[in-house]
Amino acid sequence: MTTVDDPKPSVLLAVFAHPDDEEFGTAGALLRCAERGVTVHVLCATRGDAGQIADPTLATLETLAAVREEELREACRLLGFAEPTLLDYGDGRLAAANQDELAGRVAAAIRSLRPRVVVTFDANGGYGHADHIAIHRATLAAVAAAAEAGPREDGATAAGHRPDKLYATGYPRSAMARMNADLVRHGFPALDFGDVQGIAAAEMGTPDERITTAVPVDDLWPRRWAALRAHQTQYGPGNPFVELPETVVRNWMAVDFFVRLDPPPTPGTALPDEADLWAGLSLST
Ligand SMILES: [Zn+2]
């Protein structure tokens, strides 16, 4: 029988669509948890096979999925996370996949890993990327399904599991406006995600008043910067993350923001109401 003196294992599961999704607005807060002894798992629905190839010596169209999988594995090693899980859905085709199967695979991971905290994209996927929206929906469906007994990742039947907290990533619109001002000042266009941007520029990001959780992470910069740059195929010449002065990029990533979906904030509470994804949870020894 579980008692308050027998804390549950300290496990966090972050569920994303593409290798490198974990780096933006999330990796610092996850690293903060990892440094305190939380086991951090990243589950990535695709291997990023439709991504860029910044340098043709790094990958070909045929090898890109394998190269990006290894980039994610290296990023997780640099951050002290557990080995990531990659589901190998097609990059750019997640919304067209069988959504029940996708949610079932995420639910199986939840029953296997038994995370106390789950993190995924917000409902608009940040900038309306159809893959991000699909993994958001699948993760919410999976959290609900995993409360009941069902299959684990190895196919065996496991008891249900209910995470203590569920978070969506938050990209405050005020922070995006500052980022755009920096980009324009340095001669880059404002944020534009091309044909994968599924919503208008004004709808991108998160209304500031929804942010429940602001995690200061500037002190973790060297490790998260190294992890971001481990995704070498995505960050080549011309990319603002490579071209801009490091201090500018560091400033963008000084605080990681989230929207706590469950439990939701108490009405009337001033937000943000916490500064850590693990706030209020015990650490297992
Ligand atoms: Zn992505």
Side-chain angles (χ1 to χ4, degrees):
M1 194 177 82
T2 301
T3 72
V4 290
D5 298 323
D6 180 23
K8 303 171 202 169
S10 299
V11 177
L12 183 151
L13 174 64
V15 187
F16 289 117
H18 311 112
D20 88 348
D21 285 343
E22 78 288 351
E23 300 300 331
F24 297 95
T26 310
L30 300 186
L31 173 54
R32 176 75 70 215
C33 290
E35 286 203 327
R36 296 211 317 259
V38 175
T39 302
V40 176
H41 288 267
V42 174
L43 187 156
C44 189
T46 80
R47 298 165 80 211
D49 53 285
Q52 300 173 42
I53 303 176
D55 175 346
T57 66
L58 295 173
T60 65
L61 289 175
E62 289 70 35
T63 64
L64 183 59
V67 170
R68 292 197 69 186
E69 174 171 344
E70 184 48 40
E71 289 175 348
L72 176 58
R73 292 186 184 284
E74 175 64 9
C76 288
R77 277 192 286 271
L78 290 168
L79 292 164
F81 298 173
E83 279 289 323
T85 302
L86 295 97
L87 297 184
D88 205 20
Y89 284 94
D91 184 354
R93 302 189 296 281
L94 201 55
N98 181 321
Q99 301 301 293
D100 289 341
E101 183 204 77
L102 175 61
R105 295 191 69 181
V106 178
I110 292 171
R111 288 192 201 95
S112 298
L113 298 168
R114 310 186 77 74
R116 299 195 69 181
V117 174
V118 173
V119 180
T120 190
F121 276 114
D122 202 356
N124 71 358
Y127 50 90
H129 194 309
D131 285 356
H132 295 183
I133 294 168
I135 201 64
H136 164 84
R137 291 176 179 165
T139 303
L140 266 58
V143 166
E148 306 294 333
R152 299 187 308 212
E153 287 171 308
D154 63 3
T157 298
H161 176 75
R162 202 183 289 273
D164 295 79
K165 300 206 276 184
L166 172 63
Y167 287 95
T169 51
Y171 309 104
R173 288 182 181 156
S174 62
M176 291 182 98
R178 282 196 299 276
M179 194 173 172
N180 277 333
D182 285 340
L183 286 166
V184 170
R185 188 176 320 119
H186 286 90
F188 284 87
L191 284 175
D192 174 6
F193 296 92
D195 56 8
V196 296
Q197 182 180 320
I199 53 178
E203 299 297 317
M204 293 201 323
T206 311
D208 285 51
E209 61 272 19
R210 288 188 60 223
I211 299 292
T212 61
T213 311
V215 187
V217 290
D218 186 63
D219 58 306
L220 302 174
W221 173 252
R223 285 181 75 186
R224 84 177 298 182
W225 185 225
L228 188 146
R229 285 180 296 135
H231 295 278
Q232 290 182 72
T233 54
Q234 306 308 296
Y235 298 96
N239 187 300
F241 279 84
V242 175
E243 302 287 353
L244 288 182
E246 187 177 326
T247 51
V248 173
V249 178
R250 178 173 182 162
N251 192 38
W252 291 346
M253 301 174 88
V255 182
D256 285 352
F257 298 96
F258 301 87
V259 175
R260 193 178 62 251
L261 302 176
D262 189 30
T266 305
T269 304
L271 297 180
D273 64 2
E274 57 182 7
D276 181 15
L277 293 172
W278 211 260
L281 300 182
S282 57
L283 282 163
S284 56
T285 51

